[in-house]
């Protein structure tokens, strides 16, 4: 529904073998939020950097909340759970968000993230360029 909000394309991901997706899930922290009936309503992915010089950082690589889960506090709770997970052994969390996604930017700002750059023309979606705002949260 929102191809401009993700760096990955649906068609590219669909063409990948299932083993590749399984390996990515095994190497990352993926958290889900469920409704009372047990249906998945939201998801967030967190990657800890492995290289020695950037091991102090983690990155949020994807977040999505289904329309039925929006406005419930789920996005805030998922984001806080990812931050808490990163705080165990990292000093910073980085993310990027589509420049036009005002609701997501407000969510991240309320959680303490600050903008540090804009990646102009970061994505090309159906022939249209999309800027991404780069944000970070540094732990005291």
């Amino acid at each position: 529904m929102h191809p401009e909000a993700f760096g990955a394309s649906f068609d590219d991901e669909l063409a990948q073998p299932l083993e590749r997706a399984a390996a990515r899930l095994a190497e990352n922290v993926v958290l889900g939020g469920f409704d009372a009936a047990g249906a998945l309503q939201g998801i967030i992915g967190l990657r800890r950097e492995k290289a020695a010089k950037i091991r102090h950082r983690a990155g949020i690589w994807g977040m999505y909340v289904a329309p039925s889960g929006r406005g419930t506090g789920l996005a805030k709770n998922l984001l806080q759970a990812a931050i808490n997970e990163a705080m165990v052994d990292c000093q910073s969390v980085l993310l990027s968000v589509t420049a036009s996604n005002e609701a997501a930017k407000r969510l991240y700002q309320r959680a303490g993230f600050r903008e540090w750059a804009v990646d102009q023309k970061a994505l090309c979606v159906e022939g249209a360029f999309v800027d991404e705002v780069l944000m970070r949260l540094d732990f005291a």
Side-chain angles (χ1 to χ4, degrees), residues 60 63 75-76 79-80 83 93 95-118 133-138:
I60 292 176
M63 180 169 183
K76 177 183 173 185
L79 181 59
Q80 190 59 56
I83 291 168
V93 179
L95 59 81
S96 65
V97 59
T98 304
S100 62
N101 191 340
E102 295 298 331
K105 288 191 299 187
R106 281 192 306 274
L107 171 72
Y108 299 139
Q109 289 167 342
R110 284 193 305 265
F113 284 82
R114 61 178 175 78
E115 179 180 329
W116 63 275
V118 174
V133 175
L134 308 180
M135 302 181 83
R136 68 181 298 134
L137 172 64
D138 296 307

Side-chain angles (χ1 to χ4, degrees), residues 9-33:
S9 81
F10 180 76
D11 291 336
D12 287 349
E13 292 298 313
L14 193 59
Q16 297 299 318
L18 187 57
E19 295 79 19
R20 181 172 182 257
R24 280 194 303 189
L25 291 174
E27 295 171 357
N28 292 274
V29 175
V30 180
L31 304 168

Side-chain angles (χ1 to χ4, degrees), residues 32 48 74:
R48 287 186 175 87
L74 178 58

Side-chain angles (χ1 to χ4, degrees), residues 30-83:
V30 180
L31 304 168
F34 300 83
D35 64 17
L40 182 64
Q41 294 295 306
I43 189 167
I44 190 167
L46 179 77
R47 173 188 63 256
R48 287 186 175 87
E49 300 293 350
K50 294 180 180 32
K53 292 182 180 181
I54 58 172
R55 196 173 294 144
H56 62 285
R57 300 187 321 200
I60 292 176
W61 53 262
M63 180 169 183
Y64 181 77
V65 175
S68 57
R70 295 177 190 164
T72 66
L74 178 58
K76 177 183 173 185
N77 291 338
L78 284 169
L79 181 59
Q80 190 59 56
I83 291 168

